Amino acid sequence: MVESHTAVNLSLFLNNCFKDWNITSAIVMNQNWRHIRHIPCLAHKLNLIAQSGLGEIKNVHKKVKNIVEYFKRSTKANLKLKNAQKQMGYPELKLIQYVCTRWNSMYDMFQRCIDNKEPLMSTIAIIGNMDNLVHEDFELIKHYCAIFKPFKEVTIELSSEKGISISKVLILIKALHLHIKNKEKEPNLPNAIHLMLSKMVIKANAKFENIENQPVLTEATILDPRFKKKAFNNQYTYQKTYEKIVQKVATIIRLNQSPVENEENKKTIPTYRGNETFEIWQQFDSQVSTSTSVNTPTSEAIVELDRYLNEPILDRKLDPLKWWNDRKKIYPNLFDLMLLRLCVPSTSVPSERAFSKAGYTISERRNRLSTKNTEMLIFLNSNY
């Protein structure tokens, strides 16, 4: 974008992108973006929770960070570490550097120190010009890794580019929230770890307090055949989402119906009048003759949704998109709504990866690439 990055110019630029992709429902008039639905990046939220309590272990963090930096800078020290690993029968694993902008890098740095504990401590003792890690330091590191291993797993799950992630959010966030609460209750925790967990619980409560009130998340969860209603602890939230899905499916049915079909649905279904010579049937026949049976979009939506919900839960490891593709003729209207929900990414990680690939593609030696060629190169890099 060569123009000044003002709100007006950014709005015009994004509107042109929407037009190129035929996303007409997102085009904003007069740069009023308030009605655009915003799905926050869940990985960013997890990172904020993880960062909230790190001040309690800053001394250990600083010590480990300095050690890793020293081994990264010094080829002699790194060679001594490799020799120690060989002699002690450890795999030759390099230490991992912490990068503040790279999620889970602190966990990776600490875990690699645990994996190299004996050769690392031996090498530091031989070099002798830096602080060595003591038993208490490793205890804090072990507690930290036990707490943050699920954070890394959830981040990987939600940052997937090839599979559905939006429908997993409610389940994974609840599991993570429960994990840190249970860790906080463990006996004999070091004081620093207990304080860290307390801060994380407070941050998690604030970040995920109203997560079940986000319709895109709840609707995507129900429309994933692996989860459906199993992801809901709150029956009221489930019922509210159920009703919203019925409304949206009914709207899809109305839009798909032709005017002729709408008129036919309003017609009265003929009733069998029986033998009119018998007076005993007259009262019943008069009631039947005035009754009508109208098939409404709402009733069709309820029938289709209930039939879907009553199907067996799909195995979690199977592909929900293949399941839907096999049943798109059975649930045609739900299928249309599913396409609008399960395509939503739960994090901005995939787009950020694309930005990074663009940075690698347009280098100092390739700074005259045209926009078209750059787009094609990034597309090929991402898809082949």
Side-chain angles (χ1 to χ4, degrees):
M1 184 174 174
V2 295
E3 296 86 1
S4 177
H5 293 183
T6 63
V8 174
N9 288 340
L10 287 169
S11 177
L12 291 171
F13 180 84
L14 289 172
N15 274 335
N16 289 332
C17 289
F18 294 145
K19 289 175 183 176
D20 290 342
W21 287 88
N22 197 29
I23 309 175
T24 54
S25 61
I27 294 174
V28 181
M29 303 303 293
N30 301 320
Q31 291 77 49
N32 180 10
W33 290 83
R34 284 178 294 179
H35 75 277
I36 295 291
R37 181 178 288 142
H38 172 236
I39 306 296
C41 174
L42 268 298
H44 278 98
K45 285 195 172 188
L46 293 180
N47 188 51
L48 290 173
I49 294 169
Q51 296 287 335
S52 63
L54 292 184
E56 304 301 329
I57 58 168
K58 61 182 179 182
N59 292 333
V60 175
H61 170 219
K62 185 178 180 181
K63 188 185 289 188
V64 174
K65 188 171 180 289
N66 289 339
I67 289 171
V68 173
E69 285 177 351
Y70 179 84
F71 278 92
K72 289 290 183 182
R73 289 194 307 266
S74 172
T75 53
K76 289 183 178 179
N78 197 43
L79 182 60
K80 287 179 180 179
L81 178 61
K82 283 186 177 181
N83 291 334
Q85 288 170 338
K86 287 180 182 178
Q87 291 172 5
M88 296 181 179
Y90 279 74
E92 292 184 28
L93 299 173
K94 292 183 179 180
L95 299 180
I96 296 176
Q97 179 69 67
Y98 165 73
V99 181
C100 61
T101 56
R102 188 169 295 166
W103 299 328
N104 302 310
S105 62
M106 186 178 292
Y107 167 82
D108 293 333
M109 179 178 72
F110 281 170
Q111 187 60 52
R112 185 55 58 86
C113 286
I114 292 173
D115 296 338
N116 282 281
K117 180 180 177 182
E118 299 301 330
L120 180 61
M121 293 180 70
S122 174
T123 306
I124 293 173
I126 292 170
I127 295 171
N129 61 350
M130 70 181 84
D131 290 337
N132 205 338
L133 294 169
V134 297
H135 175 74
E136 289 76 13
D137 295 332
F138 273 102
E139 283 299 304
L140 289 178
I141 292 171
K142 286 177 182 178
H143 280 291
Y144 178 94
C145 290
I147 293 165
F148 282 91
K149 185 174 184 290
F151 274 80
K152 181 175 182 178
E153 294 170 351
V154 170
T155 303
I156 292 170
E157 283 274 355
L158 296 182
S159 302
S160 170
E161 292 186 60
K162 303 298 183 183
I164 294 168
S165 62
I166 192 71
S167 59
K168 300 175 183 177
V169 170
L170 290 182
I171 297 171
L172 292 177
I173 294 304
K174 285 178 185 176
L176 203 56
H177 204 174
L178 182 63
H179 165 72
I180 56 177
K181 283 184 176 180
N182 289 338
K183 281 289 180 183
E184 188 187 19
K185 296 174 184 176
E186 285 185 5
N188 304 321
L189 282 176
N191 187 53
I193 296 296
H194 188 271
L195 291 173
M196 182 180 74
L197 284 166
S198 298
K199 290 185 177 180
M200 289 172 64
V201 169
I202 293 170
K203 194 74 169 181
N205 288 338
K207 289 294 179 183
F208 300 128
E209 182 181 9
N210 298 314
I211 194 167
E212 284 197 357
N213 293 332
Q214 296 188 28
V216 173
L217 297 181
T218 53
E219 290 169 18
T221 304
I222 288 180
L223 292 171
D224 191 321
R226 299 171 298 175
F227 308 130
K228 297 182 183 178
K229 64 178 77 173
K230 297 290 184 182
F232 294 85
N233 294 331
N234 190 325
Q235 182 61 30
Y236 172 77
T237 304
Y238 166 74
Q239 188 60 36
K240 188 177 175 182
T241 307
Y242 175 94
E243 292 168 2
K244 285 184 178 179
I245 292 177
V246 168
Q247 292 173 5
K248 289 173 182 176
V249 173
T251 301
I252 292 171
I253 292 171
R254 289 189 196 97
L255 293 173
N256 291 337
Q257 282 181 342
S258 65
V260 175
E261 288 174 324
N262 288 331
E263 288 301 318
E264 287 179 351
N265 287 337
K266 294 177 183 178
K267 291 179 181 179
T268 302
I269 295 177
T271 56
Y272 176 69
R273 296 187 59 81
N275 190 339
E276 294 185 9
T277 58
F278 297 126
E279 292 183 5
I280 195 70
W281 288 105
Q282 285 182 359
Q283 184 179 0
F284 174 79
D285 289 343
S286 64
Q287 292 175 351
V288 171
S289 64
T290 57
S291 67
T292 58
S293 178
V294 179
N295 198 20
T296 66
T298 301
S299 64
E300 286 185 39
I302 291 172
V303 169
E304 188 171 329
L305 180 56
D306 285 347
R307 194 164 68 243
Y308 158 73
L309 291 173
N310 287 327
E311 283 221 35
I313 295 287
L314 183 68
D315 187 285
R316 184 181 62 80
K317 296 179 181 178
L318 297 180
D319 185 358
L321 295 180
K322 185 178 184 305
W323 187 96
W324 271 111
N325 189 59
D326 294 339
R327 289 164 177 78
K328 61 184 175 183
K329 292 184 179 178
I330 303 174
Y331 310 111
N333 305 298
L334 273 176
F335 181 82
D336 289 346
L337 182 61
M338 178 277 301
L339 292 176
L340 297 174
R341 289 293 174 264
L342 297 191
C343 67
V344 178
S346 61
T347 73
S348 61
V349 173
S351 61
E352 290 176 14
R353 287 186 185 131
F355 299 154
S356 298
K357 288 170 184 174
Y360 298 143
T361 303
I362 306 172
S363 62
E364 289 185 6
R365 296 189 178 187
R366 305 179 75 189
N367 59 11
R368 298 185 68 184
L369 281 170
S370 67
T371 302
K372 184 178 179 181
N373 285 342
T374 302
E375 286 180 356
M376 288 192 291
L377 286 169
I378 294 172
F379 176 84
L380 289 170
N381 183 274
S382 299
N383 293 281
Y384 294 96

